Amino acid sequence: MLVESCGRSVLLTFVPNSSPRFNWAEYRAEWLRSPKADLLSGVLVALALIPEAIAFSIIAGVAPQIGLYASFIIAIVISFVGGRPAMISAATGAMALLMVGLVKNHGLEYLFAATILTGVLQILFGWAGLSRYLKFVPRPVMTGFVNALAILIFMAQLPQFVGANWQMYAMVAAGLAIIYLLPRITRAVPSALVAIVVLTLVSIFTGADVKTVGDMGELPKALPPFHLPQVPLTLETLNIIFPVALTLTFVGLLESLLTAQLVDEKTDTTSDKNVESRGQGIANIVTGFFGGMAGCAMIGQSMINVTSGGRGRLSTFVAGAFLLVLILVLQGTLVQIPIAALVAVMIMVSISTFDWGSLRTMMTYPRGETIVMLATVLATVLTHDLSKGVLTGVVLSAIFFARKVSQLSSVSHADLPDGSRVYRVTGQLFFVSTHDFVHHFDFAYPARRVVIDLTNAHFWDGSAVGALDKVVFKFRQNGIEPELIGINEASATLIEKVALHDKPGAVAPSGH
């Protein structure tokens, strides 16, 4: 079977009950597609990972080295085993927020154990092929998710301006000028990378009074050793870490799969979400055994990578590997990078991430879709939790969809010359659309014969069958046995299993 993958037609041979066979040629191409662009974008992403990893470590209540270890390990591992080339995974804020209670109440070792268990659960998720349920996330929710992320990225930069002097503002302005003006002259090198290099040199040679990476915390000076979590292997330990690991699993995969879908759209390519799910799990298991915290895909850094030209696995690998080089070899230079340079890069990312077209279409799209998009944005921004925003949007979408479908069902009637009355039911019958179903029938009308024509109706759940039961029993109470005709096969199967009116000796339950 030919499928489009990363812009190329790839032949996949399917075997029953298995994943597509591994295609070595395509995998090799994913590494060598655009080496120069991947190298440069990977270096830029590594620089942007530093303050994020440190900040997320602080959020989780652990030392900066925990987040830094996690970031370079996850990035390197996912570059080999992930399903979405060019996507960046590392320690993230959403995951860090979920670890606070565990670290505070039980300590760091339990965090490592929970990280490993998270990886195992994510592998099982990918193995079971559950990523297909991502299709239940509607487009307005995706748009709201992206816009909320852009707003959160921008808001995350604002604390850097608290108490800042004019030099901070000047450097951010200069960084944005380089980022947006340099591409008009040349695109040979990512303008964001040039901005970081130039502002770092200016900071060093002028002795500018600005905050630097070195001011955010002490950095590790050695590779992380292999480490088995020092926790008792008991059910009590499992009871402690399992709820946290389960939450980390779902939040991590939700962010990762939505990010993968976003990168798919940005690069006009496709990716294997089940492979990505398993890859996230493998990466978290490895980081848990080397003293790191659980992580997932980073939308901001992924957008930096893609915007800067990163398209292959090499960009993700370089991001992790160069981060390691920065920490261990170039730490003396790294600590002198002004935070203003990284703030300028992240502001650029927030601007490029926001879907500005959604503002123009708000007035033309159906009102329900606009409400879903705005609710997703609002819930995400207020809670600083992308998963809560997506959940809000999905629930609202389901409610609006159910309401819309329920309005497409109707009941009409016609009186025949022989004194019979025919009720024609049309549409989809389920728990929403059957709320007033019974009120469409006149049980006191003196008809000689009542026919309920269900040819154009479909029963979806027990609530719909229960509504039909209620109608039949009410007619029987008035001495009329209604005739049901036109029931399709799927509805008939459900009615046979659930209905009461067609059972021998059927009596209407109380409430009918």
Side-chain angles (χ1 to χ4, degrees), residues 49-238:
L49 280 172
I50 297 288
E52 299 278 323
I54 296 174
F56 298 151
S57 298
I58 294 172
I59 290 174
V62 298
Q65 67 184 34
I66 304 300
L68 290 168
Y69 284 160
S71 292
F72 79 75
I73 291 173
I74 292 175
I76 289 175
V77 173
I78 205 70
S79 68
F80 289 96
V81 300
R84 172 63 261 180
M87 190 168 76
I88 306 298
S89 295
T92 65
M95 300 287 270
L97 286 170
L98 301 173
M99 305 170 187
V100 176
L102 181 65
V103 174
K104 182 179 180 180
N105 297 326
H106 301 283
L108 196 56
E109 296 297 327
Y110 281 84
L111 173 61
F112 298 150
T115 296
I116 294 168
L117 181 57
T118 297
V120 172
L121 293 175
Q122 289 177 330
I123 290 175
L124 293 176
F125 185 99
W127 174 77
L130 298 180
S131 66
R132 61 181 177 272
Y133 293 110
L134 186 65
K135 65 185 177 184
F136 291 112
V137 179
R139 185 166 187 80
V141 177
M142 276 294 298
T143 302
F145 173 78
V146 170
N147 290 345
L149 173 73
I151 294 171
L152 288 179
I153 292 174
F154 181 81
M155 290 175 61
Q157 312 315 308
L158 299 182
Q160 302 297 338
F161 292 96
V162 176
N165 55 27
W166 67 269
Q167 293 169 314
M168 169 71 174
Y169 288 92
M171 279 200 169
V172 172
L176 289 172
I178 295 172
I179 288 170
Y180 286 106
L181 296 179
L182 183 62
R184 298 186 179 185
I185 302 172
T186 178
R187 293 181 178 271
V189 181
S191 59
L193 181 57
V194 173
I196 291 175
V197 173
V198 170
L199 293 181
T200 300
L201 292 174
V202 170
S203 175
I204 292 173
F205 288 112
T206 64
D209 182 19
V210 291
K211 187 186 296 183
T212 65
V213 170
D215 297 324
M216 298 192 70
E218 185 179 356
L219 304 182
K221 295 180 173 58
L223 285 170
F226 179 81
H227 175 75
L228 287 173
Q230 300 301 303
V231 296
L233 300 178
T234 62
L235 285 177
E236 182 181 358
T237 298
L238 185 61

Side-chain angles (χ1 to χ4, degrees), residues 398-482:
I399 292 173
F400 286 137
F401 175 76
R403 180 174 177 273
K404 185 175 182 178
V405 172
S406 70
Q407 294 173 341
L408 299 178
S409 61
S410 63
V411 179
S412 62
H413 69 270
D415 295 321
L416 304 181
D418 64 355
S420 301
R421 170 169 283 194
V422 178
Y423 289 93
R424 292 185 176 85
V425 182
T426 62
Q428 310 302 309
L429 302 178
F430 59 110
F431 67 96
V432 175
S433 60
T434 56
H435 182 70
D436 296 319
F437 182 70
V438 68
H439 301 303
H440 292 288
F441 297 86
D442 186 354
F443 302 103
Y445 184 79
R448 295 180 55 189
R449 174 171 168 262
V450 170
V451 176
I452 301 178
D453 186 353
L454 300 169
T455 303
N456 297 313
H458 187 90
F459 289 77
W460 286 100
D461 59 16
S463 297
V465 177
L468 181 62
D469 274 341
K470 185 179 294 187
V471 170
V472 172
F473 283 126
K474 280 187 174 292
F475 273 120
R476 286 177 181 173
Q477 289 171 4
N478 285 275
I480 299 174
E481 181 63 38

